[in-house]
Amino acid sequence: MTTRILMVCLGNICRSPMAAAVLDNRAREAGIDVLVSSAGTASWHAGEGPNHMSFRVWTDAGYEYQHVAQQFKQMMFDEFDLILVMDQSNFTNVNALARNHEDVAKIRYLRSFDPNLKVDQIDPSAGALLEVPDPWEQPREEFEEVLKMIEQSVDGLLAFLVHGD
Ligand code: 4NP
């Protein structure tokens, strides 16, 4: 069965498309059946392509992925099985649109799947520890750092999809 996964950040031009690129490529290589997309809680960049630095960093790392930005909408709770956010503000904004417990249960921090972190999302300080920081208008090194966090988390996510928790 296909697992439908939505990556969410603020602008949907830097972090969440990079996360979608990594998951899409690695799942295909591993033969794991996922449908991947991404969205931003803000509408500012809807219809635009990815941020140039983000695109360059994921392309240089060998990931092939095309992206057009879109805003997160409530109906996406019906269209996806997992909604994976990058930071605390995404977590708050997506939770604010949840209609019921089922919607809430789909929301997780992407980095909660990083096996090296072992942070319980229920812990009140978990949000700060589980963030993929916003690299927008930062130097390339910040995007490289974000890519590393995403790759570790995606590997943990793929293991979760195959073996469960
Ligand atoms: P993202 O980064 O949420 O990772 O796509 C940002 C992109 C744009 C803006 C902020 C963050 N912005 O303020 O336009």
Side-chain angles (χ1 to χ4, degrees):
M1 206 187 69
T2 307
T3 309
R4 304 163 303 167
I5 298 173
L6 184 72
M7 302 291 188
V8 176
C9 63
L10 175 58
N12 192 216
I13 55 172
C14 300
R15 292 166 291 176
S16 59
M18 182 185 279
V22 173
L23 176 58
D24 188 61
N25 281 262
R26 290 200 169 181
R28 197 169 331 109
E29 278 163 23
I32 298 168
D33 188 9
V34 293
L35 184 148
V36 185
S37 190
S38 66
T41 57
S43 64
W44 311 317
H45 299 282
E48 293 177 16
N51 171 273
H52 289 297
M53 186 63 80
S54 191
F55 181 77
R56 197 174 312 155
V57 166
W58 87 56
T59 302
D60 287 352
Y63 302 105
E64 281 184 32
Y65 191 72
Q66 301 300 319
H67 171 69
V68 178
Q70 60 176 343
Q71 187 177 20
F72 180 79
K73 296 278 189 300
Q74 197 171 50
M75 67 178 181
M76 292 175 180
F77 284 113
D78 299 320
E79 297 170 347
F80 294 92
D81 303 305
L82 278 174
I83 297 177
L84 304 182
V85 301
M86 302 297 138
D87 66 25
Q88 295 182 89
S89 74
N90 313 147
F91 188 80
T92 303
N93 291 330
V94 171
N95 267 287
L97 289 171
R99 301 155 299 185
N100 50 48
H101 292 302
E102 268 176 51
D103 288 354
V104 169
K106 292 182 175 185
I107 307 165
R108 286 185 61 164
Y109 285 92
L110 172 63
R111 292 190 81 198
S112 70
F113 290 99
D114 183 337
N116 304 310
L117 279 175
K118 298 201 189 327
V119 175
D120 191 332
Q121 190 166 299
I122 296 163
D123 181 331
S125 61
L129 301 170
L130 291 174
E131 285 196 320
V132 178
D134 184 353
W136 193 58
E137 295 193 324
Q138 299 299 309
R140 181 177 174 122
E141 295 70 49
E142 300 295 320
F143 285 81
E144 304 272 8
E145 202 52 44
V146 162
L147 178 63
K148 268 189 229 152
M149 291 178 183
I150 287 172
E151 287 177 327
Q152 290 190 21
S153 304
V154 164
D155 284 347
L157 171 61
L158 290 172
F160 167 79
L161 294 177
V162 173
H163 306 295
D165 243 340

